[in-house]
Amino acid sequence: MIKTFSITDIGKKRKMNQDYVYTSEMPVGPLPNLFLVADGMGGHKAGDYASKCAIETIVETVESSSDTEAVPVLEKAIRRANEVVRRRSKEDEALNGMGTTVVAATLEGDTMYVANVGDSRLYVVSPREIRQITRDHSLVEEMVRMGGLKREQARSHPDKNIITRAIGAEDEIEVDFFQVQLKHGDIVLMCSDGLTNMIEDEEIRMILHGQRDLVEKAESLVNAANNNGGKDNIAVVLIQPQA
């Protein structure tokens, strides 16, 4: 059994919430469970539509999947979401140029399979450390990787919101996959950049291991992000594998 809790918040500066989450502790198609976070982008309502459309397409595609292994199931579903978002952005002028990040996870026993496009993140947090599993597809992350920018400078860089990969941005999408072995005491955090741009990783770790249950942990993360400015929408999914 696993315990989960999810929450989204509009933040303090935005008029609309373009973050969208989906969680199912029960099987979805061939997957034993499914967790998704999407952070939409685009003009009036377009980002809101993109994130919702992408997640609904992923869930529908997983439900009807004939594959049995997690990675092919997730890859086909994310590629299908890219096709649908891309097509609808071309069909409707109001949705032109829309896109969304997506991070997806499914747990099979103590093994977690993760898929990622964009800069929404998945972390594994233990009492002693916080590990970012996904890798941001962003201009600033590329600069850090190439050695042109220090990690500390990346947080305040003026181009930190420019992402290099998104669902709906191109006809073809490249998806990153990760496989993680979870240990007793680990908590999985999936989130949009509205959280990570407002709170340092170490503060996230302290909050997650300073509160009693998942609801308090998630609400404390959202409150901390808003107290630090709440400049963007905030999405949080917490997963606690049970020993």
Side-chain angles (χ1 to χ4, degrees), residues 45-59:
K45 290 223 169 182
D48 171 39
Y49 185 88
S51 58
K52 187 172 186 286
C53 175
I55 282 190
E56 287 178 349
T57 304
I58 290 169
V59 173

Side-chain angles (χ1 to χ4, degrees), residues 147-163:
L149 192 69
K150 288 194 169 72
R151 178 67 63 191
E152 307 77 61
Q153 297 171 308
R155 288 186 65 81
S156 56
H157 196 280
D159 294 332
K160 71 172 188 280
N161 292 325
I162 299 176
I163 62 174

Side-chain angles (χ1 to χ4, degrees), residues 129-190:
E129 69 168 350
I130 176 168
R131 287 186 295 143
Q132 182 181 338
I133 304 300
T134 53
R135 197 170 65 183
D136 295 354
H137 302 134
S138 67
L139 188 62
V140 165
E141 181 63 28
E142 296 289 345
M143 292 162 72
V144 170
R145 212 173 295 150
M146 299 292 284
L149 192 69
K150 288 194 169 72
R151 178 67 63 191
E152 307 77 61
Q153 297 171 308
R155 288 186 65 81
S156 56
H157 196 280
D159 294 332
K160 71 172 188 280
N161 292 325
I162 299 176
I163 62 174
T164 53
R165 254 188 251 178
I167 301 285
E170 303 285 346
D171 289 337
E172 292 294 324
I173 192 75
E174 187 180 349
V175 187
D176 284 358
F177 291 96
F178 308 88
Q179 183 175 328
V180 186
Q181 292 301 122
L182 297 172
K183 301 188 185 76
H184 179 69
D186 284 345
I187 296 173
V188 176
L189 164 65
M190 301 167 69

